Amino acid sequence: MTMTGAEDTAVRGGPLWWARRRSAVFDSGLGLVSAVECAVEGAPFARDAGIPLAAGVVFGLLAGSVLVVRRRWPIAVVLVAIAITPAQMGYLMGIVGLYTLAASELPRRIIASLAGMQLLGTLIVTFVRVRQSLDQGRLTIGDWFIPFAAITTSLGLTAPPLLLGLYVGARRRLMESLRERADSLERELQLLAERAEERAEWARNEERTRIAREMHDVVAHRVSLMVVHAAALQAVARKDPEKAVRNAALVGDMGRQALTELREMLGVLRSGVGVERAAAASVTVAAVVVEEGEGPCLAELEELVGQSAAAGMVVDLMVEGEVRAYAPEVEQTAYRVVQEALTNVHKHAGGAKTRVRLAHRVGEIAMQVENGAPPEAGAASSAGLPSGGNGLVGMKERVVALGGVFVSGPTDAGGFRVSAVIPAA
């Protein structure tokens, strides 16, 4: 992205103090015209002063050429113009020098002082010259014409360039201010675009993480139970056909439930509700977890524990406190924590006795899933369930997103404990 100021800097490249080559050419032309004017006016000055004609011409050339440096030293140009005013030369230099001075960045008091000096000098010189012309009989107008001519001439040579210079200087400063503001806005827009891209990337990452966590919660538990039941079915297929039939029915139920949850979640993803919320970045990650109020709740916790018990796990459920309804995201997070903890028991501690505790407190809900050591120390489930290591991470992310506390780790008895506390509000 090209900045306006950068474009303005790119066109600069004149010699010496000039910003552009055309400015140098223009000032050189003005200096040449001013030098010629002063040289022509130097001839009558030399005659009146009684000095050689060549000296007057050379003096005029040198004085007039000072106009070349008007952009670099406008004060010097105006002072030279004031100094040669009694010699009746340097009119162009006085007008252009005063205009340049007024358009410059110099303090107003300096501009006003030099303009006043030039006005006063022109007034006095014009007054004296007109008086001399009347005394010599070259003018036959009355005495009233002397102050009139002096005032009008001095104002005509001073006021227009002064006012024009002030206007041009103010307009130039305004344009520079607008250009700087445009550059600043352009930089801010670029920064906002970069931040928007960062937020979009963050939202995409959060959405991918959320989808992965949902897929893990939906699939891992159901499929883990299906694998456990399938292993049990394989073991008792010939010995106990009736139990094999019951296990087969449970596997079918688990599969249908997994398909139902997957269908619901894929429907949410297809509708784009989750993506829009994440991309908007106007809600917290905890709010994004629940989509349109769908998902499990604490009322289904007993059924969840019953499914694990049906798979052969020795599990006890204890509920403390007054049972009440919570926000959908709170109930779903609590359910998922217990679900994932039970899945981990199936994976890593097959056959271990497990205790699930749910406590309804005044301003929070607490849950704890603790299992003992497996029958064979260090043995995992006989079904050979794989583990991706994302279950505990997903549980902690869910709980922390709602402002809760999550703790997990091994127990002194050789088992494992998962504890979480979630604010009720």
Side-chain angles (χ1 to χ4, degrees), residues 121-198:
T122 307
L123 179 67
I124 294 174
V125 170
T126 305
F127 187 90
V128 172
R129 291 295 182 180
V130 174
R131 167 62 68 181
Q132 290 178 352
S133 297
L134 287 175
D135 293 343
Q136 294 173 3
R138 285 180 293 180
L139 290 176
T140 58
I141 305 177
D143 294 341
W144 62 269
F145 182 73
I146 299 175
F148 174 78
I151 294 174
T152 53
T153 302
S154 58
L155 288 177
L157 294 177
T158 306
L162 177 64
L163 296 177
L164 181 60
L166 291 175
Y167 167 76
V168 172
R171 184 176 181 276
R172 182 183 302 155
R173 286 187 291 272
L174 176 62
M175 295 301 296
E176 291 177 356
S177 175
L178 293 176
R179 186 180 298 110
E180 292 177 358
R181 186 178 301 178
D183 291 344
S184 177
L185 290 176
E186 201 167 354
R187 287 191 295 269
E188 289 180 4
L189 288 176
Q190 186 175 5
L191 182 59
L192 289 176
E194 294 175 356
R195 290 182 177 176
E197 181 62 26
E198 292 176 358

Side-chain angles (χ1 to χ4, degrees), residues 96-332:
V96 177
L98 187 59
Y99 161 79
T100 305
L101 179 69
S104 66
E105 300 293 335
L106 292 172
R108 288 286 184 266
R109 61 179 183 276
I110 296 179
I111 298 175
S113 300
L114 292 177
M117 292 172 59
Q118 185 165 337
L119 175 66
L120 183 61
T122 307
L123 179 67
I124 294 174
V125 170
T126 305
F127 187 90
V128 172
R129 291 295 182 180
V130 174
R131 167 62 68 181
Q132 290 178 352
S133 297
L134 287 175
D135 293 343
Q136 294 173 3
R138 285 180 293 180
L139 290 176
T140 58
I141 305 177
D143 294 341
W144 62 269
F145 182 73
I146 299 175
F148 174 78
I151 294 174
T152 53
T153 302
S154 58
L155 288 177
L157 294 177
T158 306
L162 177 64
L163 296 177
L164 181 60
L166 291 175
Y167 167 76
V168 172
R171 184 176 181 276
R172 182 183 302 155
R173 286 187 291 272
L174 176 62
M175 295 301 296
E176 291 177 356
S177 175
L178 293 176
R179 186 180 298 110
E180 292 177 358
R181 186 178 301 178
D183 291 344
S184 177
L185 290 176
E186 201 167 354
R187 287 191 295 269
E188 289 180 4
L189 288 176
Q190 186 175 5
L191 182 59
L192 289 176
E194 294 175 356
R195 290 182 177 176
E197 181 62 26
E198 292 176 358
R199 287 196 297 268
E201 181 64 25
W202 174 85
R204 286 192 291 267
N205 292 334
E206 289 294 330
E207 188 64 12
R208 283 194 293 266
T209 303
R210 189 190 68 82
I211 293 174
R213 187 167 57 241
E214 290 290 335
M215 292 289 292
H216 178 274
D217 292 340
V218 170
V219 176
H221 181 72
R222 304 293 183 189
V223 175
S224 298
L225 291 179
M226 290 171 64
V227 173
V228 171
H229 282 292
L233 177 62
Q234 183 180 5
V236 302
R238 296 180 180 179
K239 298 179 182 179
D240 192 348
E242 294 182 1
K243 187 174 182 180
V245 171
R246 290 196 300 271
N247 287 343
L250 287 173
V251 171
D253 291 339
M254 295 296 171
R256 282 187 291 272
Q257 292 174 3
L259 287 175
T260 300
E261 293 190 13
L262 281 174
R263 189 180 297 111
E264 291 176 354
M265 190 178 66
L266 291 176
V268 171
L269 293 178
R270 188 178 295 275
S271 67
V273 176
V275 176
E276 292 177 0
R277 290 185 179 180
S282 60
V283 294
T284 61
V285 178
V288 181
V289 171
V290 180
E291 302 294 346
E292 301 296 332
E294 296 181 357
C297 59
L298 290 177
E300 304 173 14
L301 193 60
E302 188 173 352
E303 180 183 354
L304 175 67
V305 174
Q307 292 172 356
S308 295
M313 178 187 294
V314 180
V315 54
D316 295 329
L317 174 62
M318 293 184 298
V319 180
E320 302 175 1
E322 182 181 355
V323 179
R324 63 183 186 275
Y326 298 93
E329 60 267 20
V330 174
E331 293 208 8
Q332 181 176 348

Side-chain angles (χ1 to χ4, degrees), residues 310-361:
M313 178 187 294
V314 180
V315 54
D316 295 329
L317 174 62
M318 293 184 298
V319 180
E320 302 175 1
E322 182 181 355
V323 179
R324 63 183 186 275
Y326 298 93
E329 60 267 20
V330 174
E331 293 208 8
Q332 181 176 348
T333 300
Y335 180 92
R336 292 300 189 192
V337 169
V338 177
Q339 182 187 53
E340 179 60 27
L342 293 176
T343 301
N344 287 340
V345 175
H346 284 293
K347 289 181 179 180
H348 307 292
K353 185 177 180 179
T354 305
R355 182 177 63 179
V356 178
R357 179 188 172 191
L358 185 67
H360 299 274
R361 299 171 182 170

